[in-house]
Amino acid sequence: MEVKKEQKHKRGSVLFVIAHPDDEAMFFVPTIRAMVKQRRDIYLLCLSRGLLIQPQNDKKNKRKYDPATTRTKELHNSCTLLGIRKANVHVIDDPRLQDGMNEKWDPKYIAKTVDSFLCDSAKIPSLEYIVTFDAHGISSHPNHIATHHGLKAWLADQQHQQQQQHTSTTTRTHLLTLTTPPLWYKYLGPLVLLVTLLWLSFPTSSTSRTQPHTTHDHYHYHYTTTPHHAHRAMCAHTSQYVWFRRLSVPLSTLSYLNILSLHQ
């Protein structure tokens, strides 16, 4: 009887959809850690293999970087440190989804890619949430923005199919998008927790006022008081953790606080 009770109240699984290896470490750590603490089954889909920042052969540190495998291995190591099983991490290698500021990703193709992945991965049980970027893409990276629009297109297709089939919407998958912080709010470090608490404590404040770029009614807040997890995860991305990122991670608002908008 106890086993049945635990299964009945088991939380749904979560899929993070990111554009590049290291997005999970730079942007989504508070949410990932919150989901781990909730004992959810966590999956991650990365839409590209990414590019290398460090030279392929770093003689000074005696490291060798293979463009075909390095960043995938780093992603697996990072996710393991964050609490995501290696078997639940999937990387897409598609010529139409290549990392780059000048690479144009088709949102409809992204929606099709995600749908194919989910159909092929029927082993993902009771998928409750998909987590990805918002329309501003956090860093305004076009691949991030395209990922958002691709997931929105996928969600719209799912809702249309449910209406056509008169399927119950109570068990459908919901989309959570990570809110892009305003520039002044982006590098407050741990002070962001105090600033946010004070801002929300004003009687006239509301989630719509706090998040001027969104119109949704529901927000999920996930926070951590230390950048320890984000730093460890980024250290796993050896080829990417260059000096300016070593400075930005402990100062980044997103190392401490994620505000996610729920799309119904």
Side-chain angles (χ1 to χ4, degrees), residues 6 9-16 29-42 82-83 128-129 131 176 219-223 258 260:
E6 287 180 1
H9 295 287
K10 182 176 175 60
R11 294 173 180 265
S13 56
V14 181
L15 172 66
F16 288 82
V29 168
T31 301
I32 293 173
R33 291 303 304 165
M35 298 302 178
V36 168
K37 290 179 180 179
Q38 292 175 13
R39 297 185 178 181
R40 294 179 182 267
D41 292 326
I42 306 173
L82 291 173
E128 185 175 359
Y129 294 116
V131 183
L176 287 170
Y219 292 90
H220 290 215
Y221 294 77
H222 300 300
Y223 70 91
N258 283 174
L260 300 113

Side-chain angles (χ1 to χ4, degrees), residues 11-14 40 125-130 171-175:
R11 294 173 180 265
S13 56
V14 181
R40 294 179 182 267
S126 57
L127 181 58
E128 185 175 359
Y129 294 116
I130 293 180
T171 58
R172 72 185 183 194
T173 300
H174 301 284
L175 181 64

Side-chain angles (χ1 to χ4, degrees), residues 92-263:
I92 301 292
D93 183 12
D94 189 315
R96 296 177 64 174
L97 298 173
Q98 295 297 304
D99 183 0
M101 294 294 291
N102 297 319
E103 296 288 340
K104 295 183 178 180
W105 293 6
D106 181 1
K108 291 183 179 179
Y109 187 72
I110 293 172
K112 181 180 178 182
T113 300
V114 171
D115 193 60
S116 296
F117 167 76
L118 291 174
C119 289
D120 294 340
S121 304
K123 60 183 179 181
I124 298 182
S126 57
L127 181 58
E128 185 175 359
Y129 294 116
I130 293 180
V131 183
T132 193
F133 304 97
D134 71 357
H136 301 280
I138 307 301
S139 60
S140 299
H141 197 298
N143 298 164
H144 296 175
I145 295 171
T147 300
H148 166 83
H149 290 297
L151 267 298
K152 285 281 286 183
W154 177 85
L155 182 65
D157 288 343
Q158 294 300 304
Q159 292 174 343
H160 178 70
Q161 290 178 21
Q162 289 172 343
Q163 290 173 358
Q164 292 273 321
Q165 299 169 5
H166 303 288
T167 307
S168 172
T169 59
T170 57
T171 58
R172 72 185 183 194
T173 300
H174 301 284
L175 181 64
L176 287 170
T177 57
L178 180 61
T179 303
T180 297
L183 185 60
W184 67 269
Y185 192 78
K186 215 164 193 174
Y187 295 104
L188 293 179
L191 287 176
V192 68
L193 300 176
L194 177 61
V195 170
T196 303
L197 181 63
L198 291 173
W199 184 263
L200 293 176
S201 67
F202 284 108
T204 57
S205 69
S206 66
T207 52
S208 59
R209 175 182 170 183
T210 308
Q211 309 303 328
H213 299 299
T214 56
T215 58
H216 305 88
D217 296 326
H218 303 287
Y219 292 90
H220 290 215
Y221 294 77
H222 300 300
Y223 70 91
T224 177
T225 57
T226 171
H228 172 69
H229 292 294
H231 172 68
R232 286 189 69 206
M234 274 307 300
C235 282
H237 292 279
T238 312
S239 68
Q240 306 300 298
Y241 209 16
V242 291
W243 67 270
F244 57 87
R245 284 183 175 160
R246 291 181 180 275
L247 290 176
S248 67
V249 166
L251 295 176
S252 173
T253 289
L254 297 177
S255 293
Y256 301 87
L257 176 68
N258 283 174
I259 302 175
L260 300 113
S261 175
L262 175 64
H263 296 253

Side-chain angles (χ1 to χ4, degrees), residues 70-101:
T70 294
R71 295 201 64 185
T72 297
K73 290 179 180 177
E74 291 174 348
L75 177 62
H76 285 152
N77 293 337
S78 170
C79 287
T80 299
L81 290 169
L82 291 173
I84 306 175
R85 294 173 57 230
K86 181 179 178 180
N88 292 358
V89 178
H90 304 270
V91 179
I92 301 292
D93 183 12
D94 189 315
R96 296 177 64 174
L97 298 173
Q98 295 297 304
D99 183 0
M101 294 294 291

